[in-house]
Amino acid sequence: MTQLGFFIDLTKCTGCQTCTVACKDAHNLEVGRNFRKVLEAESGTWKQDRATGAWHQDVRAYYVSISCNHCADPACVKVCPTEASHVAEDGSIQIDKEKCIGCKYCMAACPYGARIVQEKTGVVEKCRFCWDGEKPGNPPACVGTCISGARIFGDLDDPDSEINQAIAKYHAQPLADNLTVSKIYYVR
Ligand code: SF4
Ligand code: SF4
């Protein structure tokens, strides 16, 4: 069965925010509301060699493009009282706008702050892999516009898919697999 996901290579990401802009444009999001964000991150440390006293560092700064993780066990779906939030056949987490009553339970439940409420409609929304009502965008707006080719969209259930080959080759991992089982894999 199809299980859609993203592969994102953070070593290629330049932080240009094209994915954020493409997503906002594709979904006509209001000012101040976005499905996707690109954050600045840092990792590594300085260490002193006890023998020589010399300092060495592996500190680096990088960018992280984040949005809904399309969790395998989504908290947002569990708390939704109207079943507006649901798991689609392709494993993506979708929202039926007609059923959403704007209670925001899903916003409180999501550990990633992935959801926003549209002021004009009162409906809660998020990344839906650019679904057009029946099927996902092919590719979603953020993938086709990424200037660095840092993103791959595809079927995690197909061992021969481009996304699975990239995950295996670069040992990509979800960002926070201790919170939920995410379908977004990153190279850091
Ligand atoms: Fe990074 Fe690509 Fe998004 Fe630019 S469009 S910020 S390179 S992921
Ligand atoms: Fe739901 Fe948040 Fe997981 Fe997306 S990241 S599926 S909104 S709990």
Side-chain angles (χ1 to χ4, degrees), residues 36-105:
R36 180 159 293 285
K37 301 171 209 156
V38 178
L39 308 178
E40 289 182 30
E42 295 177 352
S43 66
T45 186
W46 282 78
K47 284 187 187 146
Q48 189 173 26
D49 188 307
R50 286 191 184 168
T52 66
W55 286 90
H56 304 280
Q57 61 90 12
D58 62 356
V59 177
R60 61 184 280 258
Y62 55 99
Y63 298 99
V64 187
S65 175
I66 60 166
S67 190
C68 173
N69 282 285
H70 292 272
C71 309
D73 189 18
C76 57
V77 171
K78 285 185 196 159
V79 299
C80 180
T82 66
E83 298 182 348
S85 288
H86 61 280
V87 185
E89 273 188 16
D90 59 23
S92 67
I93 311 306
Q94 300 295 329
I95 303 168
D96 184 338
K97 291 184 192 174
E98 302 298 318
K99 288 186 179 174
C100 177
I101 56 173
C103 67
K104 303 181 188 169
Y105 288 0

